[in-house]
Amino acid sequence: MTIMKQFFSRGGSILAIAGALALAAPVPAVAQDRPAASRPIAVPPLQFTTRTLANGLRVYALHDPRTANVSVQMWYDVGSKDDPAGRSGFAHLFEHILSRVTRNMAPGQINRMVEEESGGTRNASTGPDRTNYYETVPASQLEAMLWAHAERMGRSVLDQSVFDAERSIVKEEMRLRVLSQPYGRLQRYYLFDNAFQTHPYRRSGIGTMADLDIATLAEARAFHENFYRPDNAVLIVAGNFDPQQLDRLVERHLGALPRPTRPILRFHGQEAPRTAPLSISAYGPNVPLPAVVYGWLRPRQNHPDSATFAVIERLLSGGQSSRLYRSMVYDRALAQGVAAIDYGLEEAGLFAIQAIVAGGKDINEVESALAAEVARLRDQPVSAAELEEARTEIVAARLFDRETPEGRANEVGSSIVTANDPRWGDRLLTAVQRVTAADVQRVARQYLSDASRLSIRYQDQAQRTGEAAPDPSAVPTLASLGRTLPAATAAPNQLAPEGERVAPPPPGPERPFASPTFAERRLANGLRVVVARSTDLPIASAYLVFGGGSSADPAARPGVASMMTTLVDNGAGGMTAPEIAARIESLGAVSGASANADSTIAFVAAPTANLEAAGSVLSQIVRAPAFAPEELERERRRAIDRLRVSLRDPGFVNQLAAQRAIYGAAPYGAPAGGTPASLAAINREEVVNYHRSWWRPDNATLVISGAIDADAGFALAERLFGAWVAPAEAMPAVPANRAGAASAPRVIVIDNPDVDQAAVSVTMRGIPRNDPAFYPLSIANNALGGGSTGRLFQEVRVRRALSYGAYSAFQTNRDEGVLFANAQTRNEAAPEVAEVMLAEIRRLASEPLSPDVLQKRRTLLIGGFGRQVERTQGVGLFLANLAAQGMPMSEYGRYIAGLQAVTPEQVSAAVAAELDPNAASIVIVGRASQFIEPLRARYPNVEVIPFAELDFGTPTLRTVPGAGGSR
């Protein structure tokens, strides 16, 4: 079963659920063998046309009249492997630079065009082989996006101010994603730096502080001129457009860009096969549990053996029936988590396995177990059932990936830049279906040998006893990797005076948004059933939502609901946990369960042909879980280990602390995932009682969405759950006020000297979901911290370059929710960021939104809704969230109208009534020595809590009894 069991904080919407699965009346048992998929899964091949312009730009078009959107993507054949000598991180730096300013686009204009004027979304990413920029917008904005890509390719402004600002932001991203994460250095630096020796894949794509510091503007201009040109780019347009009109627009805006006469200069590295094993001992700060990584070089992506590597990746770690999970996590409890990762790249590749050592286990035993599983792959043929399951998982995953125009365009782009073949995705699927057990054994023997293995032990720096590998994140990269590019010859662009700038094209005709239709009824047992026909692609999903949630946990025992949802698929209906996982995965399905503040949820998503078979497993899990004592002990250990890892993330710690600051001792204040102490104390009776009390048909809503009609959906619900009998006893009562009474605001510092970046938040009470102020406050929050055009992002990142991003979340519950503004920044800047957040919240209260700003924020929210319900699971989650928060399903159809009806006066009134900046609490998690004095000067009553004394089980957040004042 492809399940990601994770902790979810209080106050979160179930829109954030990414999956995990979940007693009472006996139900027929599902066969306990390991069956193949019920029916073959057909993935329609990608359909596209292609042409090449005179200037060398290649264009791919994927027409889809079923959507109201277009995804416009520009893929450049330049990645971190092309970074200049001694200048790692350049391609990633340019990902940022090309989004900032051009001759005709002022700073931030591209974000405003996409978000505020279109309701779309945009982003960019950098890999070893490519950099891509992509927008998904209403189809009417197609021409404007083509114009914007022409601006960025041919008229981008690169001056010292742009260079310095984006370099500072990249450093904050490095602190956020790498240096502040427990295993960031291992995954971003140590693995690749030691797997490759002479190929530029060795360098980290995000670069190093040292390389970024010594980079110059002249080097940046040379890099830009060499790589960012039409003959080094691929344009991909997917969605609803007129194909002939697209050709004309592309010629108009991108065909006019000149093709440089100077050839593109590249560094082509060679990596010799490893002929001897290499073992590395590495250390880092803030590492809660040791990690082990094994790595082997593999051939390039378009090699014939890539299909077999894809199958091997799934065999080893594709869900809970995979070999590594079964042997190391489930059976022997050696690892907290384990994953195989297949990196197929343009010129070479890497196959790696990472295991996080379980608490109290020996790292030597983990290494031996990893080695034994790889040896078994080499020495013994895989079974036909295992092989078929792996193949089915790959095919089903690709089907889900192709559900949206953006997903299809991404696949074409990735195929071009990593495999030099736009049809690589289809060819790979065909090849995967032909992989044999003999292929698996041959590839394992040829490439995954002990003699060519890289082995890395990664531990906390406090455990360092002997010689260790140098930290590659702290030193410049090898100057021998890459080349020095000749100086740029073109005159640099400058932002034109406002009166001389060319305006972007006006919108084209609207392509109507086809809102999915849904129907609702109740079964005789009280189960509410909602069916939404949302796609013609052969996929579907089913979500079961139960009232109660983690706020119904027993007193002083947070984590019971979460533990119950973790355990429900660990044995049910006569099946063991491995048998359940094997059955789900053999169907190409994904499933999961989790607990939120007001609800618990169990779901399954599958190809439509297999939905009933997967749903029958869901029925077993929901109605007849075993809750075996040994499974409770196993999951208890894993949950405590996961929590140990999560608590080293300053952002996670900040969010839990903010919950306690706002809700105190009320049910919403306790951590949904529990604490180490509460997890250790949970007993089976508590888990069984929670399930018996809350998981009953008359407390549930079943949401079915996808390629299924209402009548078929209702009939399926009757077959799966119609015989489920509701208990005779009355429904349990939830706490009368789960949010509790509002308490005085607090300023809290959690001092963790090991983190390289501080997490900062400002939090205040919000409203329940059924409050009439929901729509005005949704718009107000979006203006404050929604996307890259929100006030927080603009002030904290764009104007001050203090953070990689600053946002706010408006989270509603059945009782009072929260407004949560957050960012991560270098430690010494934490007080400044907190003050900026408070200032922007005060401005929201004091300066009413203009009609123009309100319309832009409304457009962004409506666009996000449209993209969400474009996906089958997005529709299901939106409806499931309405059920979780006690809202009628008619709210689905009212959402857009509710936003459109909001006036500036209503926004101002809602902000004034509900959001009092003077009632806000501030939480900072970071290295207090670098910011405490200026913070204390502003807030003399600041509470300083050493990380070692942190306890989320109490409103004081301290393990020391009675402590709660300043220190």
Side-chain angles (χ1 to χ4, degrees):
M1 193 180 308
T2 304
I3 293 178
M4 293 177 289
K5 291 182 174 176
Q6 45 187 301
F7 292 98
F8 297 91
S9 60
R10 297 275 192 198
S13 160
I14 65 173
L15 294 176
I17 296 171
L21 222 183
L23 199 168
V27 287
V30 175
Q32 296 183 21
D33 57 344
R34 182 193 281 265
S38 298
R39 303 181 193 176
I41 301 171
V43 180
L46 292 173
Q47 302 292 333
F48 57 80
T49 60
T50 183
R51 58 193 287 250
T52 301
L53 306 188
N55 59 12
L57 177 68
R58 291 169 287 168
V59 182
Y60 290 82
L62 295 86
H63 184 223
D64 179 7
R66 298 169 299 177
T67 178
N69 296 323
V70 289
S71 181
V72 183
Q73 307 189 4
M74 189 71 76
W75 293 65
Y76 289 91
D77 189 6
V78 55
S80 58
K81 75 171 186 293
D82 303 298
D83 288 341
R87 297 294 184 271
S88 66
F90 251 52
H92 176 249
L93 178 60
F94 270 87
E95 173 205 314
H96 288 251
I97 287 174
L98 260 69
S99 297
R100 191 168 181 91
V101 58
T102 74
R103 173 169 172 76
N104 295 301
M105 287 198 300
Q109 185 175 345
I110 181 61
N111 292 335
R112 294 190 293 273
M113 288 173 58
V114 172
E115 296 182 7
E116 295 182 333
E117 297 169 19
S118 305
T121 183
R122 62 165 300 274
N123 213 326
S125 68
T126 306
D129 299 312
R130 88 299 183 275
T131 306
N132 65 331
Y133 302 82
Y134 49 96
E135 300 86 29
T136 299
V137 294
S140 60
Q141 298 295 325
L142 171 61
E143 185 175 6
M145 295 304 101
L146 295 174
W147 175 85
H149 278 289
E151 279 290 305
R152 285 182 283 181
M153 181 183 289
R155 295 175 283 275
S156 183
V157 172
L158 177 51
D159 58 22
Q160 195 66 52
S161 64
V162 169
F163 183 71
D164 290 342
E166 294 306 317
R167 176 166 54 183
S168 295
I169 290 169
V170 168
K171 288 181 178 180
E172 292 306 318
E173 181 181 4
M174 190 184 303
R175 294 184 180 102
L176 172 69
R177 293 186 170 177
V178 182
L179 303 182
S180 290
Q181 299 303 311
Y183 305 101
R185 288 172 172 83
L186 171 63
Q187 296 160 344
R188 298 293 187 108
Y189 291 110
Y190 282 110
L191 175 56
F192 285 88
D193 188 66
N194 291 284
F196 296 96
Q197 295 299 307
T198 58
H199 196 283
Y201 287 149
R202 175 176 182 173
R203 298 176 297 189
S204 171
I206 203 167
T208 69
M209 293 289 189
D211 283 355
L212 289 170
D213 283 339
I214 61 179
T216 67
L217 177 62
E219 292 169 334
R221 285 177 172 163
F223 187 85
H224 178 264
E225 186 170 293
N226 189 64
F227 290 111
Y228 291 86
R229 43 195 279 178
D231 54 337
N232 197 46
V234 177
L235 172 69
I236 304 171
V237 180
N240 197 343
F241 54 83
D242 179 292
Q244 293 181 335
Q245 182 192 39
L246 174 65
D247 288 344
R248 293 193 296 269
L249 295 178
V250 169
E251 285 287 358
R252 178 186 305 167
H253 295 291
L254 289 152
L257 296 176
R259 181 174 188 164
T261 57
R262 194 161 69 180
I264 301 171
L265 303 178
R266 300 186 188 276
F267 177 79
H268 293 286
Q270 296 289 329
E271 185 69 30
R274 190 183 300 279
T275 58
L278 175 63
S279 295
I280 299 295
S281 292
Y283 300 88
N286 205 31
V287 180
L289 295 168
V292 173
V293 174
Y294 282 172
W296 298 265
L297 296 178
R298 56 147 288 182
R300 66 189 185 279
Q301 175 71 347
N302 63 4
H303 190 276
D305 286 334
S306 282
T308 304
F309 273 107
V311 170
I312 290 175
E313 180 186 42
R314 288 283 177 169
L315 287 168
L316 289 177
S317 68
Q320 293 190 0
S321 69
S322 64
R323 291 185 167 196
L324 289 175
Y325 182 90
R326 282 291 308 274
S327 66
M328 299 187 62
V329 177
Y330 186 82
D331 291 339
R332 302 173 64 188
L334 293 173
Q336 182 269 328
V338 62
I341 308 153
D342 179 32
Y343 296 97
L345 302 170
E346 184 181 22
E347 297 179 1
L350 174 65
F351 189 87
I353 302 172
Q354 174 178 300
I356 307 298
V357 180
K361 297 297 182 178
D362 188 335
I363 194 170
N364 295 298
E365 193 174 0
V366 171
E367 288 179 324
S368 296
L370 280 179
E373 284 303 322
V374 176
R376 183 159 75 100
L377 203 64
R378 296 191 300 256
D379 299 341
Q380 302 172 24
V382 301
S383 69
E386 277 187 290
L387 188 60
E388 181 60 25
E389 181 183 307
R391 291 189 297 219
T392 300
E393 288 177 347
I394 294 169
V395 174
R398 192 58 55 93
L399 183 64
F400 283 104
D401 288 343
R402 294 182 178 186
E403 188 174 4
T404 63
E406 183 177 317
R408 295 189 290 275
N410 272 330
E411 185 172 327
V412 172
S414 179
S415 294
I416 292 170
V417 298
T418 61
N420 301 305
D421 178 1
R423 300 192 183 277
W424 173 252
D426 287 332
R427 299 190 207 282
L428 184 66
L429 282 182
T430 300
V432 161
Q433 300 282 31
R434 296 173 179 166
V435 171
T436 66
D439 291 329
V440 171
Q441 195 168 21
R442 174 186 57 79
V443 167
R445 287 174 172 174
Q446 183 174 349
Y447 301 106
L448 308 183
S449 71
D450 294 341
S452 61
R453 186 181 69 208
L454 165 68
S455 306
I456 304 176
R457 287 184 168 195
Y458 189 65
Q459 301 176 80
D460 191 84
Q461 57 193 8
Q463 297 173 284
R464 181 170 179 168
T465 57
E467 185 176 350
D471 182 355
S473 69
V475 296
T477 57
L478 296 177
S480 60
L481 299 178
R483 64 181 301 163
T484 300
L485 298 171
T489 58
N493 293 307
Q494 294 182 339
L495 177 65
E498 188 170 356
E500 299 177 16
R501 296 175 202 163
V502 176
E510 293 287 338
R511 308 272 176 171
F513 166 66
S515 177
T517 59
F518 70 92
E520 177 180 353
R521 70 172 59 160
R522 284 191 183 270
L523 303 188
N525 58 9
L527 178 66
R528 180 189 189 192
V529 182
V530 180
V531 182
R533 173 93 190 190
S534 59
T535 184
D536 293 327
L537 202 65
I539 55 178
S541 65
Y543 290 83
L544 265 169
V545 184
F546 299 90
S550 57
S551 59
D553 281 342
R557 192 75 88 240
V560 170
S562 178
M563 180 60 71
M564 187 275 294
T565 58
T566 298
L567 287 170
V568 287
D569 64 334
N570 284 21
M575 296 179 289
T576 65
E579 287 166 347
I580 292 172
R583 177 61 174 158
I584 286 289
E585 290 162 17
S586 72
L587 295 166
V590 294
S591 58
S594 62
N596 300 274
D598 298 313
S599 68
T600 51
I601 182 170
F603 83 93
V604 66
T608 307
N610 293 341
L611 181 63
E612 183 160 2
S616 68
V617 180
L618 178 65
S619 178
Q620 298 283 325
I621 289 166
V622 168
R623 299 166 61 186
F627 296 133
E630 63 272 18
E631 296 292 344
L632 173 58
E633 293 309 312
R634 178 184 290 109
E635 292 301 339
R636 186 201 312 279
R637 291 191 298 267
R638 293 194 64 215
I640 291 173
D641 280 349
R642 283 196 300 268
L643 190 54
R644 289 178 63 184
V645 173
S646 297
L647 289 174
R648 297 303 181 99
D649 178 349
F652 178 87
V653 172
N654 189 295
Q655 188 171 2
L656 293 191
Q659 286 174 203
R660 276 300 193 192
I662 291 299
Y663 293 122
Y668 283 168
T675 68
S678 70
L679 290 171
I682 290 173
N683 60 56
R684 182 179 183 275
E685 183 180 2
E686 290 170 326
V687 172
V688 170
N689 285 342
Y690 187 98
H691 179 274
R692 183 185 300 117
S693 297
W694 297 102
W695 282 37
R696 43 193 285 171
D698 51 345
N699 187 41
T701 299
L702 173 65
V703 177
I704 301 174
S705 61
I708 187 167
D709 294 321
D711 288 343
F714 292 135
L716 176 61
E718 186 69 47
R719 291 194 298 273
L720 294 177
F721 297 103
W724 188 9
V725 179
E729 58 265 26
M731 197 86 66
V734 298
N737 184 359
R738 285 168 278 191
S743 55
R746 300 167 66 181
V747 179
I748 301 168
V749 169
I750 297 172
D751 181 18
N752 186 347
D754 289 331
V755 297
D756 288 274
Q757 194 176 51
V760 183
S761 71
V762 172
T763 312
M764 63 186 67
R765 291 279 191 131
I767 58 172
R769 176 61 176 84
N770 63 1
D771 193 295
F774 171 78
Y775 288 106
L777 288 181
S778 294
I779 290 176
N781 168 71
N782 191 268
L784 175 67
S788 60
T789 55
R791 293 177 177 180
L792 291 176
F793 190 99
Q794 289 294 308
E795 188 63 35
V796 175
R797 170 170 165 165
V798 176
R799 297 189 181 96
R800 305 187 187 215
L802 292 175
S803 176
Y804 181 61
Y807 307 95
S808 64
F810 175 51
Q811 298 180 342
T812 56
N813 300 318
R814 282 186 176 243
D815 292 331
E816 284 187 350
V818 295
L819 181 75
F820 178 74
N822 67 99
Q824 287 190 209
T825 185
R826 58 187 183 274
N827 280 285
E828 61 273 17
E832 181 182 357
V833 170
E835 289 307 307
V836 170
M837 289 178 176
L838 283 168
E840 290 301 326
I841 293 172
R842 292 190 182 99
R843 186 159 75 93
L844 192 68
S846 62
E847 298 179 17
L849 299 185
S850 68
D852 178 62
V853 170
L854 185 147
Q855 180 57 39
K856 290 175 178 178
R857 308 322 294 184
R858 176 165 43 217
T859 298
L860 183 54
L861 285 168
I862 292 174
F865 172 75
R867 288 188 303 279
Q868 178 186 342
V869 299
E870 196 171 45
R871 299 184 66 93
T872 295
Q873 288 183 261
V875 173
L877 282 170
F878 190 91
L879 296 173
N881 192 52
L882 292 178
Q885 299 199 351
M887 300 297 294
M889 291 296 111
S890 59
E891 189 71 10
Y892 175 92
R894 181 176 174 263
Y895 183 80
I896 292 177
L899 291 171
Q900 290 174 332
V902 173
T903 66
E905 292 76 19
Q906 289 173 327
V907 174
S908 296
V911 170
E914 303 294 344
L915 302 181
D916 179 7
N918 295 320
S921 287
I922 301 171
V923 176
I924 302 176
V925 181
R927 197 176 294 154
S929 62
Q930 295 184 244
F931 61 79
I932 190 60
E933 292 309 320
L935 187 71
R936 183 173 280 125
R938 176 72 176 83
Y939 301 101
N941 293 326
V942 59
E943 307 169 48
V944 180
I945 304 173
F947 181 73
E949 297 180 11
L950 187 61
D951 182 4
F952 289 113
T954 173
T956 66
L957 293 169
R958 305 178 75 99
T959 57
V960 181
S966 62
R967 290 190 53 166

